[in-house]
Amino acid sequence: MQLTNRSKEVSNKEMTMAEKMYLPAIAQGLAITIKHFFAKKVTIPYPEVKRYLGPVFRGHHILKRDEEGRERCTACGLCAVACPAEAISMVAAERKKGEENLYREEKYAAVYEINMLRCIFCGLCEEACPKQAVYLRHDKLVPIFTERDQVVYGKEELVEKMSDRYIRTNPDAQATPTEPSFSRSAT
């Protein structure tokens, strides 16, 4: 009975002296090694040169500001509900008189925290935000932390600095309803 039709005939011919010493196999292996030795290097000198991570990379979280410098987040809680790892927590507060230049809406996030040990960088918080306040940067990695108290990011670490505005610029990417900044030009 034959189980497969891919049978291969094996010959038991006598090996030559060179084949017994594995000389052809060693020469073939050295040829492959020499070929790879002269090939283009795939590694980069990391601290000096940083690799482009691509437009779909999800890195450091930021809370966006509008063009006037006001926080976009209205503490609706949709990002916290959408987070499968339950890494986001927030406390809402009402805007007081005189704070119109700090917050866009009547309600704002007085406390906004992301536990980076729990975060799985899925991007669901970014998709759930109706005000486009939460972004995961595609050009910046999350900093390395050495202490446990450095893991929970508060508003101090998350709110965007006006001197370092984040705008996704990629000529190949198309704008989507959740990513209008794709089509916006850098100013």
Side-chain angles (χ1 to χ4, degrees), residues 97 129 146:
K97 202 168 198 86
C129 184
T146 56

Coordinates of all heavy atoms in Angstrom, one line a residue, residues 97 129 146:
K97 N -15.9 80.0 35.7 CA -15.8 81.3 35.0 C -14.4 81.7 34.9 O -13.7 81.7 35.9 CB -16.7 82.3 35.7 CG -17.2 83.4 34.9 CD -18.2 84.2 35.7 CE -19.0 85.0 34.7 NZ -20.1 84.4 34.1
C129 N -12.9 58.4 20.7 CA -13.0 59.8 21.1 C -13.7 60.6 20.0 O -13.3 60.7 18.9 CB -11.6 60.3 21.3 SG -11.6 62.0 21.9
T146 N 11.8 53.3 35.0 CA 12.6 52.4 36.0 C 11.9 52.3 37.3 O 12.1 51.3 38.0 CB 14.0 53.0 36.2 OG1 13.8 54.4 36.7 CG2 14.8 53.0 34.9

